């Protein structure tokens, strides 16, 4: 079993995957160290509890669209 931090670390270790943009949506209460760690290796960190389900999905979709348009740019 692997938590999200271990997963991100694993992905970042493999050069075949470092170009893949990552968005993290978490319900976990992050401390400052964890937040900085995630922000260093992801495009965006989203706190699930701060959004309704609909707004959370809209936010993730908009972020993904933005990442896709920048990669094509």
């Amino acid at each position: 079993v692997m938590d999200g931090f271990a997963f991100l670390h694993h992905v970042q270790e493999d050069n075949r995957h470092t170009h893949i943009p990552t968005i993290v949506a978490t319900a976990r209460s992050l401390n400052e160290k964890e937040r900085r760690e995630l922000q260093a290796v992801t495009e965006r960190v989203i706190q699930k509890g701060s959004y309704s389900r609909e707004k959370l999905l809209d936010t993730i979709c908009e972020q993904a669209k933005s990442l896709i348009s920048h990669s094509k740019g």
Side-chain angles (χ1 to χ4, degrees):
V1 176
M2 182 183 303
D3 71 9
F5 287 94
F7 173 77
L8 287 171
H9 180 70
H10 180 74
V11 168
Q12 292 298 315
E13 285 182 333
D14 189 330
N15 288 336
R16 295 175 299 168
H17 306 299
T18 56
H19 70 284
I20 300 171
T22 307
I23 302 167
V24 172
T26 183
R28 181 177 171 168
S29 293
L30 301 172
N31 64 39
E32 191 58 34
K33 179 183 176 204
E34 292 170 327
R35 183 168 291 285
R36 282 194 310 267
E37 183 179 336
L38 287 175
Q39 288 173 333
V41 297
T42 64
E43 299 299 319
R44 175 122 184 235
V45 178
I46 300 169
Q47 287 293 140
K48 288 182 189 177
S50 301
Y51 298 87
S52 67
R53 181 180 175 167
E54 183 177 308
K55 181 66 176 163
L56 176 64
L57 291 174
D58 287 346
T59 300
I60 292 169
C61 287
E62 288 301 317
Q63 185 71 40
K65 287 178 189 175
S66 175
L67 292 169
I68 291 167
S69 68
H70 283 123
S71 70
K72 291 181 180 180

